[in-house]
Amino acid sequence: MGDAEAGKKIFAQKCAQCHTVEKGGKHKTGPNLWGIFGQTGQAPGFSYSNANKNKGIIWGEETLMEYLENPKKYIPGTKMIFAGLKKKIEREDLIQYLKWATSS
């Protein structure tokens, strides 16, 4: 499922302006994503919307596939302004990259 190298390019084009992935990376408009898999998505020190806090998501491939398609539909009231990735292959590629980049 997915190509991490293609996902890295997608991250650079569509995600990096708001997110970092490295361990100890700074929060930007969005939170640092290090260690996101298996977590509730509550990066220490980031100010999440109540919608995100109350959703109680444990992030994994399935939840990210749905979320990245349409963040505002998955979490109504989220502060994330990203419209989403409609193409399944792009979401798969991005998730493969995130699996590698947020845990290596």
Side-chain angles (χ1 to χ4, degrees):
M1 173 175 154
D3 175 347
E5 280 301 313
K8 183 177 184 177
K9 291 175 186 170
I10 293 167
F11 185 86
Q13 293 170 347
K14 300 184 184 247
C15 311
Q17 67 189 35
C18 295
H19 294 281
T20 58
V21 292
E22 66 276 355
K23 186 174 186 175
K26 293 183 179 182
H27 298 307
K28 293 182 173 182
T29 304
N32 171 271
L33 300 175
W34 178 262
I36 189 172
F37 286 87
Q39 300 299 315
T40 59
Q42 303 295 311
F46 185 77
S47 177
Y48 288 91
S49 67
N50 286 333
N52 279 68
K53 290 180 198 173
N54 296 333
K55 184 78 174 183
I57 299 165
I58 303 228
W59 294 109
E61 289 184 39
E62 290 180 19
T63 50
L64 281 168
M65 277 297 285
E66 191 172 348
Y67 179 72
L68 291 170
E69 183 176 13
N70 188 338
K72 290 191 178 292
K73 181 179 178 185
Y74 191 70
I75 304 177
T78 185
K79 293 190 294 186
M80 187 157 148
I81 58 171
F82 182 60
L85 294 171
K86 304 308 175 207
K87 295 179 182 175
K88 182 179 179 185
I89 188 67
E90 289 183 347
R91 295 193 310 276
E92 290 173 344
D93 292 346
L94 179 58
I95 290 167
Q96 284 306 306
Y97 170 71
L98 289 174
K99 284 174 69 176
W100 172 80
T102 63
S103 65
S104 301

XYZ file of all heavy atoms in Angstrom:
814
model
N 0.835 -1.198 0.000
C 0.000 0.000 0.000
C 0.868 1.246 0.000
O 1.584 1.499 0.946
C -0.901 -0.004 1.235
C -1.683 1.264 1.403
S -2.822 1.131 2.792
C -2.969 2.831 3.203
N 0.837 2.001 -1.059
C 1.491 3.294 -1.120
C 2.981 3.268 -1.367
O 3.648 2.271 -1.152
N 3.494 4.388 -1.821
C 4.899 4.586 -2.151
C 5.408 5.763 -1.320
O 4.998 6.907 -1.526
C 5.002 4.881 -3.650
C 6.397 5.224 -4.118
O 7.287 5.478 -3.285
O 6.599 5.243 -5.342
N 6.302 5.482 -0.368
C 6.790 6.509 0.552
C 7.502 7.651 -0.169
O 7.381 8.807 0.239
C 7.698 5.887 1.610
N 8.232 7.351 -1.239
C 8.927 8.417 -1.978
C 7.928 9.375 -2.622
O 8.109 10.590 -2.597
C 9.874 7.836 -3.019
C 11.187 7.377 -2.441
C 11.968 8.483 -1.739
O 12.102 9.593 -2.294
O 12.450 8.241 -0.616
N 6.870 8.821 -3.211
C 5.812 9.675 -3.781
C 5.124 10.452 -2.656
O 4.780 11.623 -2.813
C 4.812 8.828 -4.556
N 4.933 9.802 -1.525
C 4.310 10.451 -0.369
C 5.138 11.601 0.167
O 4.602 12.614 0.615
N 6.459 11.461 0.107
C 7.352 12.535 0.553
C 7.137 13.784 -0.293
O 7.102 14.902 0.230
C 8.809 12.070 0.460
C 9.815 13.066 0.952
C 11.218 12.480 0.896
C 12.226 13.453 1.477
N 13.583 12.870 1.484
N 6.965 13.598 -1.599
C 6.708 14.731 -2.499
C 5.357 15.372 -2.191
O 5.231 16.596 -2.190
C 6.767 14.266 -3.947
C 8.166 13.887 -4.392
C 8.182 13.317 -5.786
C 9.590 12.827 -6.120
N 9.634 12.053 -7.340
N 4.353 14.546 -1.928
C 3.027 15.070 -1.574
C 3.110 15.864 -0.279
O 2.556 16.958 -0.172
C 1.997 13.922 -1.459
C 1.766 13.286 -2.839
C 0.684 14.419 -0.865
C 1.025 11.971 -2.793
N 3.837 15.314 0.698
C 3.996 16.028 1.975
C 4.649 17.389 1.739
O 4.174 18.400 2.266
C 4.819 15.207 2.971
C 4.890 15.847 4.325
C 3.895 15.621 5.262
C 5.922 16.713 4.648
C 3.936 16.244 6.508
C 5.978 17.345 5.885
C 4.977 17.105 6.823
N 5.711 17.416 0.946
C 6.421 18.671 0.675
C 5.507 19.694 -0.007
O 5.556 20.885 0.316
C 7.656 18.405 -0.184
N 4.655 19.233 -0.919
C 3.789 20.136 -1.672
C 2.549 20.576 -0.895
O 2.094 21.703 -1.034
C 3.317 19.455 -2.958
C 4.419 19.198 -3.952
C 3.960 18.312 -5.105
O 2.896 17.695 -5.070
N 4.779 18.243 -6.138
N 1.981 19.663 -0.090
C 0.663 19.938 0.473
C 0.606 20.009 1.996
O -0.397 20.464 2.546
C -0.326 18.880 -0.008
C -0.451 18.881 -1.521
C -1.489 17.922 -2.024
C -1.508 17.901 -3.522
N -2.696 18.429 -4.100
N 1.660 19.569 2.685
C 1.584 19.461 4.149
C 2.662 20.249 4.891
O 2.428 20.721 6.002
C 1.688 17.997 4.579
S 0.594 16.871 3.702
N 3.855 20.342 4.304
C 5.017 20.886 5.011
C 4.870 22.356 5.401
O 5.536 22.802 6.332
C 6.281 20.695 4.179
N 4.012 23.097 4.736
C 3.848 24.500 5.131
C 3.194 24.607 6.507
O 3.370 25.598 7.203
C 3.062 25.286 4.092
C 1.612 24.869 3.963
C 0.939 25.521 2.760
O 1.565 25.718 1.730
N -0.309 25.845 2.898
N 2.477 23.553 6.944
C 1.788 23.594 8.236
C 2.273 22.554 9.244
O 1.969 22.674 10.437
C 0.281 23.394 8.040
S -0.515 24.719 7.111
N 2.982 21.517 8.806
C 3.386 20.419 9.689
C 4.868 20.093 9.543
O 5.436 20.231 8.470
C 2.602 19.142 9.352
C 1.147 19.223 9.615
N 0.604 19.095 10.873
C 0.106 19.406 8.772
C -0.712 19.200 10.794
N -1.050 19.394 9.527
N 5.448 19.585 10.630
C 6.782 18.991 10.611
C 6.619 17.528 11.009
O 5.596 17.147 11.587
C 7.735 19.698 11.596
O 7.184 19.628 12.914
C 7.972 21.146 11.204
N 7.635 16.711 10.688
C 7.530 15.278 10.997
C 8.665 14.773 11.890
O 8.543 13.703 12.474
C 7.502 14.412 9.713
C 6.214 14.631 8.943
C 8.708 14.671 8.838
N 9.749 15.517 12.016
C 10.899 15.013 12.743
C 10.674 15.037 14.254
O 9.912 15.850 14.768
C 12.167 15.793 12.383
C 12.163 17.254 12.803
C 11.461 18.178 11.811
O 11.045 17.727 10.718
O 11.294 19.360 12.143
N 11.351 14.123 14.942
C 11.262 14.062 16.399
C 11.736 15.388 16.977
O 12.788 15.898 16.610
C 12.125 12.914 16.923
C 11.981 12.687 18.405
C 12.739 11.456 18.839
C 12.460 11.151 20.298
N 13.102 9.895 20.707
N 10.921 15.966 17.849
C 11.256 17.247 18.454
C 11.016 18.431 17.540
O 11.363 19.554 17.890
N 10.389 18.190 16.375
C 10.117 19.269 15.429
C 9.135 20.285 15.996
O 8.315 19.970 16.856
N 9.248 21.497 15.503
C 8.381 22.580 15.972
C 6.971 22.435 15.414
O 6.778 21.921 14.328
C 8.956 23.929 15.550
C 10.255 24.267 16.223
C 10.728 25.644 15.811
C 12.028 25.968 16.519
N 12.500 27.304 16.205
N 6.019 22.931 16.180
C 4.665 23.070 15.678
C 4.647 24.291 14.760
O 5.359 25.264 14.989
C 3.669 23.305 16.825
C 3.599 22.187 17.799
N 3.383 20.877 17.426
C 3.712 22.171 19.144
C 3.356 20.111 18.503
N 3.574 20.869 19.547
N 3.861 24.201 13.725
C 3.623 25.352 12.849
C 2.153 25.703 13.027
O 1.649 25.672 14.138
C 3.955 24.987 11.407
C 5.447 24.712 11.148
C 5.649 24.401 9.681
C 7.083 24.284 9.285
N 7.225 24.027 7.849
N 1.458 25.989 11.935
C 0.015 26.196 12.005
C -0.644 24.910 12.497
O -1.629 24.940 13.221
C -0.550 26.581 10.622
O 0.140 27.732 10.162
C -2.031 26.864 10.690
N -0.087 23.774 12.071
C -0.528 22.460 12.523
C 0.544 21.848 13.407
O 1.674 22.323 13.460
N 0.209 20.762 14.095
C 1.154 20.150 15.025
C 2.261 19.362 14.338
O 2.114 18.921 13.202
C 0.269 19.193 15.834
C -0.808 18.811 14.881
C -1.082 20.068 14.075
N 3.359 19.176 15.055
C 4.390 18.236 14.645
C 3.759 16.848 14.669
O 2.984 16.523 15.573
C 5.575 18.311 15.619
C 6.579 17.209 15.390
O 6.468 16.135 15.961
N 7.552 17.476 14.550
N 4.067 16.027 13.679
C 3.397 14.729 13.518
C 4.222 13.534 14.014
O 3.794 12.388 13.850
C 3.022 14.522 12.046
C 2.081 15.579 11.464
C 1.876 15.341 9.974
C 0.762 15.600 12.208
N 5.381 13.777 14.628
C 6.213 12.672 15.120
C 5.395 11.766 16.044
O 4.706 12.235 16.945
C 7.430 13.200 15.865
C 8.258 12.085 16.417
C 8.229 11.620 17.695
C 9.198 11.275 15.712
N 9.098 10.570 17.819
C 9.703 10.332 16.621
C 9.648 11.252 14.397
C 10.649 9.385 16.255
C 10.585 10.312 14.037
C 11.079 9.392 14.958
N 5.446 10.471 15.809
C 4.787 9.498 16.675
C 3.277 9.452 16.558
O 2.598 8.950 17.453
N 2.724 9.947 15.461
C 1.269 10.035 15.314
C 0.577 8.668 15.302
O -0.520 8.521 15.838
C 0.882 10.854 14.057
C -0.628 11.116 14.039
C 1.351 10.179 12.791
C -1.074 12.064 12.965
N 1.222 7.661 14.733
C 0.554 6.359 14.598
C 0.365 5.703 15.958
O 1.295 5.578 16.742
C 1.335 5.439 13.647
C 1.159 5.852 12.217
C 1.977 6.808 11.658
C 0.139 5.319 11.435
C 1.814 7.218 10.345
C -0.043 5.720 10.125
C 0.804 6.673 9.587
N -0.880 5.322 16.229
C -1.224 4.699 17.505
C -1.497 5.696 18.609
O -1.775 5.321 19.737
N -1.426 6.981 18.286
C -1.645 8.029 19.281
C -2.997 8.703 19.067
O -3.603 8.581 18.017
C -0.536 9.091 19.182
C 0.848 8.545 19.410
C 1.021 7.945 20.789
O 0.612 8.512 21.789
N 1.624 6.762 20.841
N -3.413 9.466 20.048
C -4.673 10.197 19.950
C -4.515 11.495 19.172
O -5.489 12.200 18.971
C -5.235 10.536 21.347
O -4.270 11.323 22.047
C -5.572 9.285 22.121
N -3.313 11.798 18.735
C -3.110 13.011 17.952
C -2.995 14.257 18.792
O -3.151 15.355 18.294
N -2.710 14.111 20.050
C -2.578 15.262 20.938
C -1.105 15.548 21.199
O -0.571 15.208 22.245
C -3.317 15.001 22.257
C -4.790 14.670 22.093
C -5.586 15.825 21.531
O -5.487 16.941 22.002
N -6.384 15.563 20.523
N -0.430 16.170 20.238
C 0.984 16.511 20.391
C 1.131 17.538 21.513
O 0.429 18.546 21.516
C 1.539 17.061 19.085
N 2.008 17.284 22.469
C 2.198 18.220 23.585
C 2.548 19.617 23.104
O 3.364 19.783 22.205
C 3.363 17.608 24.375
C 3.403 16.172 23.974
C 2.897 16.130 22.561
N 1.890 20.618 23.681
C 2.194 22.000 23.369
C 1.444 22.587 22.194
O 1.604 23.759 21.892
N 0.607 21.779 21.524
C -0.166 22.317 20.407
C -1.588 22.600 20.865
O -2.190 21.825 21.600
C -0.185 21.341 19.219
C -0.869 21.933 18.015
C -0.211 22.861 17.225
C -2.164 21.589 17.692
C -0.843 23.426 16.126
C -2.810 22.155 16.603
C -2.142 23.077 15.812
N -2.137 23.714 20.409
C -3.490 24.117 20.784
C -4.503 23.571 19.776
O -4.690 24.132 18.703
C -3.574 25.646 20.829
O -4.892 26.057 21.133
N -5.119 22.460 20.141
C -6.105 21.807 19.261
C -7.484 22.421 19.445
O -7.820 22.931 20.518
C -6.201 20.315 19.592
C -4.999 19.528 19.168
C -3.923 19.339 20.028
C -4.920 18.968 17.906
C -2.809 18.618 19.637
C -3.811 18.246 17.504
C -2.767 18.075 18.375
O -1.673 17.373 17.977
N -8.295 22.324 18.392
C -9.696 22.736 18.507
C -10.418 21.753 19.417
O -9.988 20.599 19.588
C -10.361 22.743 17.129
O -10.450 21.418 16.628
N -11.514 22.179 19.997
C -12.323 21.275 20.821
C -12.812 20.102 19.993
O -12.916 18.985 20.493
C -13.508 22.018 21.456
C -13.060 22.909 22.594
O -12.045 22.648 23.234
N -13.798 23.971 22.839
N -13.090 20.349 18.716
C -13.555 19.269 17.840
C -12.510 18.156 17.766
O -12.840 16.975 17.868
C -13.856 19.815 16.448
N -11.249 18.520 17.599
C -10.182 17.524 17.548
C -10.017 16.823 18.899
O -9.875 15.604 18.950
C -8.855 18.159 17.139
C -8.737 18.353 15.652
O -9.451 19.169 15.083
N -7.854 17.621 15.024
N -10.021 17.596 19.970
C -9.851 17.018 21.311
C -10.957 16.022 21.629
O -10.711 14.968 22.201
C -9.853 18.120 22.367
C -8.645 19.001 22.360
C -8.793 20.032 23.457
C -7.886 21.206 23.281
N -8.155 22.259 24.261
N -12.174 16.367 21.261
C -13.329 15.547 21.639
C -13.560 14.347 20.729
O -14.314 13.450 21.095
C -14.593 16.414 21.677
C -14.508 17.490 22.738
O -13.815 17.333 23.736
N -15.196 18.599 22.519
N -12.926 14.315 19.563
C -13.141 13.212 18.620
C -12.544 11.899 19.144
O -13.091 10.829 18.894
C -12.550 13.578 17.246
C -12.794 12.561 16.162
C -14.187 12.636 15.607
C -14.335 11.693 14.419
N -15.622 11.757 13.783
N -11.441 11.985 19.877
C -10.845 10.790 20.466
C -10.301 9.794 19.462
O -10.351 8.587 19.675
N -9.744 10.275 18.381
C -9.220 9.416 17.317
C -7.899 8.790 17.742
O -7.049 9.460 18.315
C -8.968 10.244 16.044
C -10.246 10.874 15.547
C -8.311 9.399 14.960
C -10.021 11.969 14.537
N -7.742 7.519 17.444
C -6.422 6.882 17.528
C -5.959 6.773 16.080
O -6.572 6.094 15.271
C -6.510 5.500 18.195
C -7.136 5.672 19.556
C -5.132 4.849 18.193
C -6.519 5.051 20.720
N -4.887 7.491 15.761
C -4.443 7.586 14.379
C -3.777 6.303 13.901
O -2.921 5.745 14.568
C -3.489 8.759 14.201
C -4.160 10.070 14.416
C -3.979 10.920 15.466
C -5.144 10.681 13.579
N -4.791 12.021 15.322
C -5.513 11.895 14.181
C -5.758 10.316 12.379
C -6.457 12.756 13.620
C -6.700 11.172 11.828
C -7.039 12.374 12.436
N -4.198 5.874 12.729
C -3.647 4.709 12.052
C -3.942 4.854 10.568
O -4.493 5.863 10.127
N -3.611 3.830 9.799
C -3.818 3.912 8.349
C -5.285 4.151 7.998
O -5.594 4.980 7.142
C -3.310 2.638 7.673
C -1.806 2.533 7.677
C -1.298 1.321 6.920
O -1.877 0.989 5.866
O -0.319 0.720 7.385
N -6.193 3.430 8.642
C -7.615 3.564 8.300
C -8.159 4.944 8.655
O -8.868 5.561 7.854
C -8.431 2.477 8.992
C -8.179 1.099 8.430
C -8.995 0.020 9.134
O -9.995 0.352 9.803
O -8.615 -1.152 9.004
N -7.846 5.433 9.858
C -8.364 6.746 10.250
C -7.754 7.848 9.390
O -8.452 8.784 8.983
C -8.116 7.039 11.744
O -6.751 6.801 12.064
C -9.011 6.192 12.617
N -6.458 7.730 9.070
C -5.834 8.733 8.215
C -6.393 8.700 6.794
O -6.565 9.750 6.171
C -4.312 8.555 8.187
C -3.594 9.112 9.412
C -2.148 8.632 9.445
C -3.653 10.627 9.441
N -6.689 7.514 6.281
C -7.279 7.425 4.930
C -8.582 8.220 4.874
O -8.827 8.960 3.920
C -7.560 5.959 4.554
C -6.374 5.222 4.005
S -5.720 5.877 2.460
C -6.953 5.310 1.310
N -9.401 8.068 5.881
C -10.681 8.778 5.899
C -10.485 10.270 6.165
O -11.062 11.121 5.495
C -11.598 8.151 6.956
C -13.013 8.642 6.871
C -13.964 7.896 7.785
O -13.594 6.847 8.334
O -15.096 8.392 7.947
N -9.661 10.588 7.148
C -9.420 11.982 7.522
C -8.815 12.778 6.369
O -9.272 13.886 6.061
C -8.494 12.033 8.734
C -8.155 13.423 9.201
C -9.094 14.225 9.837
C -6.878 13.945 9.011
C -8.782 15.502 10.277
C -6.547 15.219 9.451
C -7.507 15.985 10.079
O -7.198 17.256 10.506
N -7.778 12.231 5.734
C -7.076 12.969 4.682
C -7.908 13.179 3.424
O -7.617 14.063 2.636
C -5.766 12.258 4.330
C -4.696 12.307 5.413
C -3.546 11.374 5.065
C -4.205 13.728 5.639
N -8.963 12.398 3.265
C -9.849 12.609 2.121
C -10.643 13.897 2.285
O -10.857 14.650 1.337
C -10.803 11.431 1.945
C -11.682 11.574 0.727
C -12.560 10.360 0.482
O -12.691 9.501 1.369
O -13.129 10.272 -0.624
N -11.091 14.168 3.516
C -11.900 15.356 3.774
C -11.873 15.654 5.281
O -12.765 15.230 6.020
C -13.334 15.138 3.292
C -14.167 16.393 3.364
O -13.865 17.327 4.112
N -15.227 16.431 2.584
N -10.842 16.371 5.756
C -10.694 16.617 7.189
C -11.911 17.261 7.853
O -12.294 16.876 8.959
C -9.479 17.546 7.268
C -8.689 17.218 6.047
C -9.711 16.900 4.994
N -12.532 18.214 7.190
C -13.671 18.918 7.804
C -14.912 18.024 7.914
O -15.737 18.227 8.791
C -13.983 20.198 7.049
C -12.905 21.251 7.252
C -13.337 22.592 6.741
C -12.313 23.651 6.981
N -12.090 24.018 8.358
N -15.031 17.048 7.045
C -16.138 16.098 7.145
C -15.872 15.096 8.275
O -16.771 14.749 9.031
C -16.320 15.353 5.817
C -17.463 14.356 5.839
C -17.620 13.673 4.490
C -18.734 12.641 4.540
N -18.826 11.877 3.288
N -14.623 14.657 8.395
C -14.262 13.663 9.410
C -14.301 14.260 10.813
O -14.718 13.604 11.756
C -12.876 13.084 9.101
C -12.534 11.877 9.930
C -13.192 10.667 9.729
C -11.566 11.937 10.918
C -12.880 9.551 10.493
C -11.244 10.829 11.676
C -11.905 9.638 11.460
O -11.599 8.538 12.218
N -13.854 15.514 10.940
C -13.901 16.211 12.234
C -14.555 17.572 12.018
O -13.879 18.582 11.818
C -12.493 16.409 12.846
C -11.761 15.083 12.981
C -12.616 17.079 14.226
C -10.349 15.215 13.516
N -15.884 17.625 12.042
C -16.556 18.920 11.910
C -16.078 19.875 13.005
O -16.002 19.501 14.165
C -18.031 18.575 12.088
C -18.131 17.123 11.724
C -16.824 16.521 12.184
N -15.682 21.073 12.600
C -15.198 22.061 13.558
C -13.682 22.084 13.699
O -13.156 22.877 14.469
N -12.978 21.241 12.953
C -11.515 21.256 13.020
C -10.971 22.582 12.508
O -11.600 23.228 11.668
C -10.902 20.087 12.207
O -9.481 20.079 12.414
C -11.185 20.191 10.724
N -9.798 22.982 13.021
C -9.148 24.205 12.552
C -8.381 23.963 11.253
O -7.977 24.909 10.594
C -8.167 24.727 13.605
C -8.810 25.205 14.870
C -7.831 25.941 15.778
C -6.747 25.058 16.319
N -5.878 25.719 17.309
N -8.189 22.703 10.890
C -7.389 22.399 9.706
C -8.120 22.876 8.446
O -9.246 22.473 8.192
C -7.115 20.895 9.616
C -6.160 20.530 8.517
S -5.397 18.959 8.858
C -5.154 18.324 7.237
N -7.435 23.716 7.673
C -8.082 24.312 6.498
C -7.824 23.524 5.226
O -8.352 23.861 4.174
C -7.627 25.776 6.301
C -6.098 25.853 6.159
C -8.104 26.646 7.451
C -5.592 27.207 5.748
N -7.046 22.456 5.306
C -6.718 21.635 4.146
C -7.978 20.975 3.593
O -8.753 20.375 4.322
C -5.689 20.576 4.561
C -5.235 19.692 3.454
C -4.620 20.211 2.332
C -5.403 18.322 3.528
C -4.179 19.385 1.311
C -4.962 17.482 2.528
C -4.350 18.023 1.412
N -8.182 21.080 2.278
C -9.392 20.538 1.640
C -9.384 19.017 1.544
O -10.434 18.399 1.448
C -9.558 21.140 0.252
N -8.206 18.414 1.570
C -8.122 16.954 1.511
C -7.489 16.457 0.227
O -7.264 17.212 -0.725
N -7.185 15.162 0.223
C -6.644 14.474 -0.953
C -7.718 13.532 -1.461
O -8.028 12.534 -0.812
C -5.395 13.670 -0.578
C -4.172 14.452 -0.125
C -3.114 13.507 0.420
C -3.616 15.267 -1.277
N -8.293 13.844 -2.593
C -9.400 13.038 -3.120
C -8.938 11.712 -3.719
O -9.658 10.724 -3.684
C -10.192 13.834 -4.164
C -10.732 15.168 -3.652
C -11.516 15.028 -2.360
C -11.937 16.380 -1.818
N -12.120 16.399 -0.387
N -7.705 11.693 -4.250
C -7.202 10.474 -4.888
C -6.688 9.497 -3.837
O -5.777 9.817 -3.068
C -6.095 10.808 -5.886
C -6.565 11.629 -7.060
C -5.411 11.942 -7.996
C -5.891 12.803 -9.154
N -4.768 13.229 -10.007
N -7.246 8.294 -3.861
C -6.865 7.267 -2.887
C -5.375 6.972 -2.931
O -4.731 6.845 -1.884
C -7.671 5.992 -3.139
C -7.387 4.902 -2.148
C -8.223 3.658 -2.409
C -7.891 2.579 -1.396
N -8.582 1.326 -1.670
N -4.787 6.901 -4.118
C -3.368 6.580 -4.246
C -2.506 7.646 -3.581
O -1.487 7.342 -2.958
C -2.944 6.334 -5.725
C -1.503 5.805 -5.794
C -3.093 7.585 -6.557
C -1.298 4.443 -5.222
N -2.904 8.901 -3.675
C -2.150 9.971 -3.013
C -2.211 9.820 -1.498
O -1.214 10.024 -0.812
C -2.667 11.346 -3.429
C -2.324 11.720 -4.848
C -2.777 13.119 -5.216
O -3.573 13.732 -4.469
O -2.332 13.608 -6.274
N -3.380 9.471 -0.977
C -3.507 9.251 0.470
C -2.659 8.057 0.904
O -1.970 8.111 1.927
C -4.971 9.062 0.866
C -5.812 10.307 0.640
C -7.178 10.259 1.288
N -7.966 9.079 1.038
C -8.736 8.873 -0.020
N -8.802 9.788 -0.972
N -9.442 7.770 -0.139
N -2.676 6.990 0.121
C -1.867 5.810 0.448
C -0.381 6.150 0.445
O 0.356 5.738 1.361
C -2.150 4.685 -0.551
C -3.524 4.082 -0.403
C -3.873 3.078 -1.498
O -3.189 3.054 -2.554
O -4.829 2.327 -1.295
N 0.057 6.909 -0.552
C 1.462 7.303 -0.637
C 1.849 8.176 0.563
O 2.889 7.954 1.195
C 1.745 8.060 -1.938
C 1.634 7.194 -3.185
O 1.599 5.951 -3.067
O 1.572 7.776 -4.294
N 1.017 9.148 0.876
C 1.304 10.047 1.989
C 1.366 9.275 3.305
O 2.267 9.495 4.121
C 0.253 11.159 2.060
C 0.424 12.156 3.207
C 1.787 12.840 3.156
C -0.707 13.178 3.183
N 0.456 8.365 3.511
C 0.442 7.572 4.747
C 1.706 6.720 4.857
O 2.295 6.619 5.938
C -0.847 6.725 4.838
C -2.042 7.652 5.093
C -0.734 5.663 5.940
C -3.407 7.006 4.891
N 2.150 6.132 3.758
C 3.396 5.363 3.799
C 4.575 6.246 4.174
O 5.428 5.862 4.971
C 3.653 4.672 2.454
C 2.795 3.462 2.231
C 2.907 2.460 3.371
O 3.980 2.026 3.751
N 1.766 2.100 3.932
N 4.614 7.436 3.622
C 5.673 8.374 3.998
C 5.582 8.733 5.478
O 6.591 8.717 6.199
C 5.607 9.645 3.125
C 6.527 10.726 3.659
C 7.903 10.577 3.546
C 6.025 11.853 4.282
C 8.764 11.554 4.058
C 6.868 12.816 4.787
C 8.229 12.668 4.678
O 9.082 13.625 5.194
N 4.388 9.041 5.953
C 4.225 9.421 7.353
C 4.617 8.276 8.292
O 5.213 8.518 9.344
C 2.786 9.866 7.627
C 2.382 11.205 7.015
C 0.895 11.453 7.243
C 3.226 12.343 7.590
N 4.290 7.047 7.909
C 4.677 5.892 8.734
C 6.196 5.846 8.913
O 6.700 5.578 9.996
C 4.175 4.586 8.131
C 2.693 4.366 8.343
C 2.192 3.157 7.623
C 2.700 1.874 8.210
N 2.122 0.687 7.541
N 6.914 6.118 7.826
C 8.366 6.096 7.880
C 8.915 7.346 8.582
O 9.735 7.265 9.488
C 8.926 5.995 6.457
C 10.411 6.169 6.426
C 11.351 5.212 6.722
C 11.116 7.375 6.130
N 12.602 5.771 6.615
C 12.483 7.096 6.257
C 10.724 8.658 5.779
C 13.469 8.052 6.035
C 11.691 9.607 5.562
C 13.049 9.295 5.689
N 8.454 8.525 8.161
C 9.043 9.789 8.603
C 8.740 10.131 10.067
O 9.496 10.865 10.689
C 8.561 10.936 7.713
N 7.658 9.605 10.615
C 7.276 9.964 11.983
C 7.690 8.921 13.008
O 7.284 8.989 14.164
C 5.762 10.210 12.085
O 5.054 9.002 11.782
C 5.311 11.332 11.154
N 8.511 7.964 12.575
C 8.923 6.919 13.518
C 10.359 6.467 13.325
O 10.827 5.609 14.056
C 7.997 5.711 13.398
O 8.132 5.123 12.112
N 11.055 7.003 12.335
C 12.421 6.526 12.027
C 13.485 7.248 12.847
O 13.423 8.403 13.054
C 12.732 6.741 10.555
O 11.809 6.044 9.769
